[in-house]
Amino acid sequence: MGRLTLYAETSSAERPGAPLLESSDPQQIAELLAARGIGYDRWPVQAELPEAADAAAVLSAYAEEIARVQASGTYPTVDAIRLSPDHPDRVALRQKFLSEHTHAEDEVRFFVEGRGLFCLHLGAEVAQVLCEQGDFLRVPAGTRHWFDMGSAPRFSAIRLFDNPEGWVAVFTGDPIAESYPLLD
């Protein structure tokens, strides 16, 4: 189950103060994020996937949920990603995602297993959403954010896109991400 932590925005030279709010209640998280234009939901978790499950197995296990989301016509492209602590590019991928960026399209993720920390720069607030197994998050296009998968990533996520080429990050150059807590 996910967790939401809200902070007041700080300058890149300051550390954030105490959180304004923390919640692990899915309904409260959904309501608080919806008020800020972010979609959050909980999907039922299917049977545990075997360690060797590939992207096709992940997509097959959640075919019904994917079809439900794709029925709106908004997200015609879908894939699955699975990262483990021994992934050869884990350090470079983590560093890339830790920089604040935006996308021209929505960023939509469903966490099949494991966890990751989405950090959303929402005006005068920073919302950290710890997504864990069963969490579905929709970050609208243009939202400033960064993502931490941790130093030893272990997660699998379904990604839905409106762009067949997948998401393309546009980095803001703002070092704000350096001021907030990381996943580990």
Side-chain angles (χ1 to χ4, degrees):
M1 180 174 314
R3 183 180 74 238
L4 171 65
T5 306
L6 287 176
Y7 294 95
E9 177 191 36
T10 64
S11 72
S12 60
E14 297 177 309
R15 292 285 179 208
L20 302 172
L21 178 139
E22 292 182 283
S23 179
S24 294
D25 177 333
Q27 182 175 347
Q28 185 180 31
I29 292 170
E31 290 169 2
L32 290 165
L33 289 175
R36 291 159 174 83
I38 308 297
Y40 175 85
D41 197 6
R42 294 278 304 158
W43 282 7
V45 176
Q46 305 301 331
E48 294 295 317
L49 296 167
E51 188 67 32
D54 62 4
V58 172
L59 296 174
S60 177
Y62 289 90
E64 186 176 314
E65 290 82 359
I66 292 167
R68 184 172 35 90
V69 172
Q70 287 185 314
S72 71
T74 306
Y75 306 111
T77 304
V78 63
D79 73 6
I81 184 170
R82 193 172 214 182
L83 284 174
S84 62
D86 61 350
H87 190 284
D89 297 325
R90 71 188 177 284
V91 173
L93 287 171
R94 183 183 192 202
Q95 282 309 119
K96 178 180 177 180
F97 297 138
L98 282 175
S99 297
E100 185 185 69
H101 57 278
T102 64
H103 304 289
E105 63 278 335
D106 295 351
E107 185 162 355
V108 182
R109 301 290 182 267
F110 169 67
F111 280 78
V112 173
E113 52 193 6
R115 65 189 193 145
L117 183 66
F118 273 91
C119 303
L120 312 169
H121 186 181
L122 305 170
E125 293 178 320
V126 170
Q128 289 193 319
V129 185
L130 177 62
C131 292
E132 297 183 314
Q133 185 180 42
D135 288 332
F136 177 87
L137 187 69
R138 185 189 55 78
V139 179
T143 302
R144 296 168 69 128
H145 67 283
W146 60 95
F147 176 74
D148 187 15
M149 65 180 87
S151 59
R154 182 174 296 284
F155 72 91
S156 179
I158 293 171
R159 307 182 301 180
L160 294 124
F161 307 97
D162 61 3
N163 177 351
E165 289 137 24
W167 62 266
V168 176
V170 176
F171 294 93
T172 67
D174 187 334
I176 187 169
E178 297 169 10
S179 298
Y180 288 85
L182 297 175
L183 186 57
D184 54 16

